[in-house]
Amino acid sequence: MDALHSLALGFQVASSPLNLFYCLIGVSLGTLIGILPGVGPLLTIAMLIPLTFGMPPESSVIMLAGIYYGASYGGSTAAILVNLPGEPSSVVTCIDGHQMARQGRGGVALAIAAIGSFVAGSIGTALIVLCAPILQQWVINFSPADYASLIFMALIATATLVQGSVLNGIGMALLGVLIGLVGMDPMTGASRFTFGSLDLMEGIDFVVVAIGVFAVAEIVQTLDEKESRPGEVAATGSIWPSLADLKASCLPILRGTGIGALFGVLPGTGPTISSIAAYFFERRIARDPSRFGHGAIEGVAAAESANNAAAQTGFIPTMTMGIPGSATMAMLLGALMMNGVNPGPNMIAQRPELFWGLIASMWIGNLMLLILNLPLIGMWVKILRVPYRWLFPAILVFSALGLYSLNLRAFDLYLMLGFGVGGYLLARLRCEPVPFIIGIILGPMLEEHFRRAMVISQGDPSVFVTSWLSLLFLVLSVLIVLLMTPRKRLRAEAAAA
Amino acid sequence: MSLVAGPLRNPRPVIVGAIFAASGTAFLVTAQGYEGGSALQMGPGYFPSLVAVLLVLIGLVNIGSAFRASEREGLRHIAWRPLLVIAAAVLVFSVLVTAAGLIAAIAGLVVVSLFATGIPSLRETLLLIVVVEIICLSIFHFLLGLQVPLVVS
């Protein structure tokens, strides 16, 4: 079995002492920032990317991925014990998780969340092992026109599915594509949009933008919100779920995993949407829906397995096709690109140790989280009490210093500040930064394949509609926009009324 | 849907649309300086021009949508104080890091940024400076060996 052979290679890579160490750092840091409200995985990954520069790519992606899925564990701890969702993906966990904690069953809720996450993570890993090679084999035979249309569809889908109006999302994505084109044109060597600046010749470093919008803009935003003080920390109680608890959670965990795995692969949806969907699905099919909201263990189990499954399967499109479905995935891909890895369908074939090492590390990381989290609850609760006004200066110093360490030039800091301020103002106008970031990553790829397709077709643009795959992707893009536009307008009208 | 809602009641799409249209135009004008080429032999200006035109179109549609006034949500307020203070803090850092060295730059950033929400107490400020200096110097200077002098004499 080829996949098993590859997986063995992956475990060999992931269990090297160095990579185990990075995995541990990643998941611990992820748990930590998951607990802290206002500090999310996007910000943390943006902050740490400069540090990963020069590390072996597999170690860097193992650590950064650990932050991502570790955060969802941490988020659930804060949600259950103090009724504060540390991460948006844990919003629905608060509903029943905190009720359980108030009934003295906080420990059981935490245990079920951890077990559910672990089961979902393991199934997610298995799904990746099964699907990734098939998908990659399929994509590798795409013509440039097919691939360009696929990238276009991914761009449109993320732009359409994020919060805010469809037009704003698409506009931000296009703006990102243009910013991504700044620098030297890889095909002709001409410099574009550099205005003679040598600093811009190599293009705008993706991490400059990421730190700008996810650190600076995010900090300003959070400072403006009222600080939600953690209230009473509920007692944990015994962490051992009874047999009845386990029986009640078994099916919700599996259903949550299924919902999460599906939403994780789709562009624009991710852990947050899947946990909400899984929770409400569970409530709808429950024999007695009135129990939900009063400490129903099924609600915690389904939501927490869904967000973890989505976090895992989100790697499928990113790693097999080189197309990130969410901002976090775009950041991981950006980190890989900085370390000299070419994203795309050839990634698994060219760097098997990278892909399979990452997959294996996710399973190991989930195991670490399961073992680490429960005994350390006391420590995590203390961390919750650190006020944000002590955290943000440290985050800011870390971000600025990390960025400066890349090229040792102040220009990067000014540019980062520009994107931060601009990103904040645009976010206040309900233009989210996520499509923008994805546009920066996908822009150059889109241009490359678009140009290649046009060269092959000898300048005939009909190549994008005569290939049935390309046509399919373009039709799907139009459908996504048409389906989402009226739906969002209805929602906006309902909110305004 | 309100019939009396005029464009002024819904300024957001106009502002957003204007930003998109203006940046699209700026990119489009700049891209005209590069060789456009033909569809067969695309120059460096071809694809950016295409995207810029799309962005201008999206901007115009956005402006147009304001007159339908289906959403009546007003503008969200802007937190000028944190925004300007944070910007100033990063600027202070970037100036100090070359002029005075790492230690001063870190301290400067921490002190300025604390004014984002109010006036910090002296004790709090000093404590935070010490903690952040210890964390950042041990990671960037001692662990990673960042080639920036701690103090510029």
Side-chain angles (χ1 to χ4, degrees):
Chain A
M1 194 53 191
D2 203 34
L4 285 180
H5 181 74
S6 313
L7 200 58
L9 167 75
F11 273 101
Q12 202 184 327
V13 172
S15 55
S16 81
L18 189 70
N19 287 340
L20 277 180
F21 172 70
Y22 281 126
C23 185
L24 182 66
I25 293 200
V27 294
S28 315
L29 206 60
T31 313
L32 178 76
I33 56 115
I35 289 174
L36 294 167
V39 190
L42 274 176
L43 188 161
T44 316
I45 293 174
M47 205 163 75
L48 288 184
I49 284 180
L51 293 193
T52 68
F53 195 63
M55 259 161 70
E58 57 272 17
S59 306
S60 102
V61 79
I62 283 173
M63 182 175 83
L64 297 176
I67 295 174
Y68 175 50
Y69 56 80
S72 75
Y73 270 79
S76 64
T77 307
I80 291 168
L81 292 183
V82 288
N83 205 17
L84 279 180
E87 291 307 314
S89 60
S90 296
V91 169
V92 287
T93 309
C94 286
I95 307 175
D96 281 291
H98 188 62
Q99 282 301 322
M100 283 181 71
R102 285 178 61 180
Q103 295 158 11
R105 284 167 36 85
V108 175
L110 286 169
I112 285 296
I115 294 169
S117 298
F118 180 71
V119 172
S122 303
I123 296 179
T125 306
L127 278 176
I128 297 176
V129 173
L130 287 176
C131 300
I134 302 172
L135 210 58
Q136 182 250 348
Q137 275 307 318
W138 184 55
V139 180
I140 214 162
N141 294 319
F142 276 18
S143 71
D146 298 338
Y147 200 59
S149 299
L150 177 67
I151 297 172
F152 180 76
M153 181 181 83
L155 203 56
I156 291 292
T158 15
T160 310
L161 293 169
V162 292
Q163 281 180 305
S165 90
V166 172
L167 277 177
N168 289 3
I170 296 178
M172 288 301 278
L174 293 177
L175 205 56
V177 169
L178 287 171
I179 295 288
L181 297 180
V182 171
M184 205 167 71
D185 172 21
M187 291 202 171
T188 60
S191 57
R192 297 187 288 187
F193 310 111
T194 57
F195 305 101
S197 151
L198 280 179
D199 290 326
L200 285 175
M201 264 302 272
E202 286 162 42
I204 294 177
D205 238 332
F206 149 86
V207 67
V208 171
V209 184
I211 291 184
V213 298
F214 293 127
V216 170
E218 202 58 39
I219 286 175
V220 175
Q221 185 108 358
T222 312
L223 283 172
D224 189 34
E225 286 155 14
K226 234 171 122 189
E227 192 165 332
S228 33
R229 300 225 115 263
E232 202 63 11
V233 176
T236 331
S238 157
I239 61 163
W240 298 109
S242 68
L243 210 60
D245 288 332
L246 285 176
K247 244 170 102 181
S249 322
C250 188
L251 284 174
I253 286 176
L254 293 178
R255 284 190 290 256
T257 304
I259 291 171
L262 182 68
F263 278 115
V265 184
L266 300 177
T269 56
T272 306
I273 294 179
S274 28
S275 64
I276 296 172
Y279 179 83
F280 287 102
F281 180 74
E282 218 43 59
R283 196 173 74 176
R284 176 167 289 183
I285 63 164
R287 218 170 286 154
D288 178 15
S290 67
R291 278 176 47 251
F292 282 76
H294 302 283
I297 199 165
E298 297 92 326
V300 178
E304 283 303 316
S305 359
N307 67 30
N308 214 42
Q312 304 279 321
T313 56
F315 284 93
I316 294 179
T318 315
M319 300 301 284
T320 56
M321 308 186 241
I323 294 175
S326 68
T328 327
M329 289 298 134
M331 307 272 285
L332 285 175
L333 213 55
L336 283 176
M337 285 156 78
M338 278 185 60
N339 284 311
V341 176
N342 269 330
N346 293 322
M347 200 154 55
I348 301 183
Q350 284 170 354
R351 313 287 293 248
E353 80 289 353
L354 180 73
F355 175 74
W356 295 105
L358 171 66
I359 301 307
S361 88
M362 290 200 280
W363 192 79
I364 297 177
N366 272 299
L367 192 64
M368 284 184 186
L369 285 164
L370 186 65
I371 300 168
L372 268 182
N373 259 358
L374 295 175
L376 291 179
I377 286 168
M379 195 179 95
W380 299 137
V381 168
K382 280 207 191 80
I383 286 163
L384 259 169
R385 301 200 171 280
V386 178
Y388 190 68
R389 69 167 193 286
W390 292 357
L391 283 176
F392 83 87
I395 296 171
L396 213 53
V397 170
F398 215 92
S399 310
L401 202 50
L403 187 57
Y404 185 72
S405 75
L406 282 181
N407 299 316
L408 300 185
R409 57 182 192 197
F411 176 78
D412 286 344
L413 291 169
Y414 302 140
L415 201 59
M416 178 273 273
L417 206 52
F419 280 109
V421 173
Y424 172 74
L425 294 176
L426 276 166
R428 295 316 280 174
L429 291 163
R430 305 193 50 134
C431 293
E432 298 296 323
V434 173
F436 181 69
I437 283 284
I438 293 182
I440 290 180
I441 291 278
L442 290 181
M445 289 164 67
L446 183 60
E447 181 186 29
E448 185 195 330
H449 290 95
F450 175 75
R451 278 161 93 167
R452 227 184 258 173
M454 291 291 270
V455 168
I456 292 174
S457 76
Q458 305 195 311
D460 180 9
S462 72
V463 63
F464 291 103
V465 289
T466 47
S467 154
W468 70 269
L469 257 179
S470 167
L471 182 67
L472 174 76
F473 294 139
L474 292 179
V475 169
L476 280 175
S477 319
V478 175
L479 275 181
I480 295 169
V481 173
L482 290 182
L483 276 175
M484 288 308 290
T485 311
R487 214 165 275 189
K488 282 203 171 167
R489 187 169 298 145
L490 277 181
R491 215 180 295 153
E493 270 170 35
Chain B
M1 210 187 282
S2 153
L3 287 170
V4 284
L8 280 177
R9 285 190 63 181
N10 197 16
R12 185 165 50 76
V14 181
I15 300 173
V16 173
I19 292 174
F20 286 164
S23 11
T25 312
F27 271 102
L28 189 60
V29 170
T30 318
Q32 295 320 301
Y34 313 130
E35 201 187 328
S38 64
L40 178 58
Q41 285 260 301
M42 270 183 230
Y46 193 97
F47 185 75
S49 306
L50 202 68
V51 179
V53 168
L54 276 178
L55 184 58
V56 174
L57 285 179
I58 293 278
L60 294 179
V61 174
N62 227 327
I63 295 176
S65 78
F67 295 91
R68 272 219 302 253
S70 58
E71 298 170 52
R72 269 170 292 161
E73 194 211 5
L75 292 175
R76 301 197 277 187
H77 86 107
I78 290 166
W80 288 110
R81 183 183 172 126
L83 184 66
L84 295 177
V85 171
I86 297 289
V90 175
L91 285 179
V92 164
F93 175 88
S94 48
V95 170
L96 284 182
V97 79
T98 41
L102 209 50
I103 294 180
I106 294 175
L109 200 164
V110 171
V111 172
V112 177
S113 67
L114 278 172
F115 283 88
T117 47
I119 311 284
S121 77
L122 187 65
R123 221 189 69 165
E124 193 181 20
T125 314
L126 289 177
L127 199 72
L128 207 59
I129 289 177
V130 172
V131 173
V132 175
E133 292 272 7
I134 291 174
I135 297 175
C136 288
L137 289 183
S138 48
I139 293 180
F140 284 96
H141 187 80
F142 296 107
L143 210 65
L144 299 174
L146 179 64
Q147 293 299 314
V148 178
L150 293 181
V151 183
V152 173
S153 50

